[in-house]
Structures are given as structure tokens and as C-alpha cells.
């Protein structure tokens, strides 16, 4: 995804081999091949695209091409409002609403812990922290998805 860092290695071809950042438009640029759509592809899928491009220029074996994700920066959620550390957070592993609030340092003094809002796409979900920590309505402790926004009023 955008902002991810990839290592593209082509054996015996330093012109194409490079560490690249996926641009906001989802593309990367490689010498000899130009712009390539990378967002939405697995490393294996991107390897196929690079192989197809290089095979038009020279005889190449697929095993000579490696694509590795060095750093995932595209999977983020955002938390704002009455928490100690508002801002973007990396979503590198499954994370719940409760875990997100903990990562943000917990609530500030005047936070409304019963009316927290999760914005996902065009939908709103409500999260009552008090209920969840007392074992009630646990289904509201949703797993976060990339792009989710949490508002703590």
C-alpha cells in the first residue's frame, strides 16, 4: 500500500534493483521499467509484473527476481480527541478499540468514556468504554481496520 517500503532485487541487474517507497497513487518507479502499479499486489504479484516487464527486455528467470516488504506504513488508524497521545497509529497486528485507547495513553480528565465514536467508511459505531471494562456489550470492542478513525469526545 501507499508509503510501504519495498526491496526489489534482480540478480545481476543493479539498474532495476532498488529499495522503493510506494507513492500515494500506489505506484513505484524502477529503472528500465518506469512506473509500475504496486498497491494492492502481493510481493509475488509484483514479482510477476516486474518479470513480465523485464522479459521484454532480456531473457530472465523468475527465480532471479525477489520482492520483499521492508516496512509496512500503509495500514493506519487514527485517534483524536480527549486522549493523551492523539494521532495516527500503525495497524500491524489485530487491534481492538480498547487496545487503541491504551496505545493512545488513555483518557484525559474530561473525556466522555461512554460516547466514543468509530468512523469506518460512511458508518458510525459507538463504543462505551465503561461497559466494555465491566464485561458488558463486548461486541462493541471492534477489531480496527485500516483508515478507521476513533473520536474520543
Amino acid at each position: 500500500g501507499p508509503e510501504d517500503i519495498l526491496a526489489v532485487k534482480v540478480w545481476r541487474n543493479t539498474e532495476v534493483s532498488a529499495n522503493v517507497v510506494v507513492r500515494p497513487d500506489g505506484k513505484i518507479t524502477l529503472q528500465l521499467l518506469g512506473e509500475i502499479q504496486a498497491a494492492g499486489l502481493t510481493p509475488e504479484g509484483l514479482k510477476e509484473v516486474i518479470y513480465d516487464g523485464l522479459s521484454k527486455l532480456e531473457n530472465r528467470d523468475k527465480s532471479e527476481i525477489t520482492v520483499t516488504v521492508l516496512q509496512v506504513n500503509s495500514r493506519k488508524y487514527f485517534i483524536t480527541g480527549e486522549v493523551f497521545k492523539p494521532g495516527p497509529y500503525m495497524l500491524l497486528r489485530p487491534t481492538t478499540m480498547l487496545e487503541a485507547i491504551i496505545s493512545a495513553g488513555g483518557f484525559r480528565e474530561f473525556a466522555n468514556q461512554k460516547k466514543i465514536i468509530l468512523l469506518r467508511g460512511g458508518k458510525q459505531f459507538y463504543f462505551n468504554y465503561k461497559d466494555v471494562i465491566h464485561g458488558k456489550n463486548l461486541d462493541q470492542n471492534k477489531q480496527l481496520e485500516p483508515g478507521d478513525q476513533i473520536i474520543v469526545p
Side-chain angles (χ1 to χ4, degrees), residues 122-141:
K123 296 181 181 175
Q124 277 189 357
F125 302 94
Y126 292 93
F127 178 76
N128 183 327
Y129 173 81
K130 297 279 189 182
D131 280 355
V132 171
I133 63 168
H134 291 104
K136 301 177 190 170
N137 301 321
L138 297 178
D139 59 326
Q140 64 184 323
N141 191 21

Side-chain angles (χ1 to χ4, degrees), residues 3-146:
E3 299 181 30
D4 289 349
I5 301 173
L6 309 175
V8 177
K9 303 291 182 207
V10 180
W11 189 55
R12 287 190 274 162
N13 192 329
T14 56
E15 289 85 20
V16 179
S17 297
N19 289 349
V20 293
V21 177
V22 180
R23 299 189 317 242
D25 64 359
K27 295 182 180 182
I28 60 172
T29 303
L30 292 175
Q31 291 255 2
L32 301 175
L33 299 176
E35 292 188 349
I36 298 172
Q37 181 65 34
L41 296 176
T42 63
E44 189 62 32
L46 184 55
K47 174 182 173 177
E48 290 290 326
V49 171
I50 294 168
Y51 171 76
D52 291 344
L54 283 177
S55 64
K56 294 174 185 170
L57 302 173
E58 56 189 45
N59 189 16
R60 226 354 113 191
D61 187 295
K62 280 187 189 178
S63 65
E64 297 174 353
I65 302 169
T66 306
V67 176
T68 308
V69 178
L70 295 179
Q71 189 173 339
V72 177
N73 296 323
S74 61
R75 295 178 51 86
K76 295 178 189 172
Y77 67 90
F78 305 86
I79 187 165
T80 188
E82 294 297 312
V83 291
F84 282 103
K85 297 184 288 185
Y89 286 84
M90 300 307 295
L91 189 58
L92 302 177
R93 61 175 183 75
T95 302
T96 64
M97 290 281 293
L98 188 58
E99 292 168 328
I101 291 166
I102 293 166
S103 294
F107 298 109
R108 296 175 61 119
E109 184 178 357
F110 297 109
N112 186 338
Q113 299 175 14
K114 294 181 178 183
K115 294 190 178 179
I116 299 164
I117 302 166
L118 169 64
L119 300 176
R120 176 177 292 158
K123 296 181 181 175
Q124 277 189 357
F125 302 94
Y126 292 93
F127 178 76
N128 183 327
Y129 173 81
K130 297 279 189 182
D131 280 355
V132 171
I133 63 168
H134 291 104
K136 301 177 190 170
N137 301 321
L138 297 178
D139 59 326
Q140 64 184 323
N141 191 21
K142 297 191 178 306
Q143 290 279 338
L144 296 179
E145 296 178 3

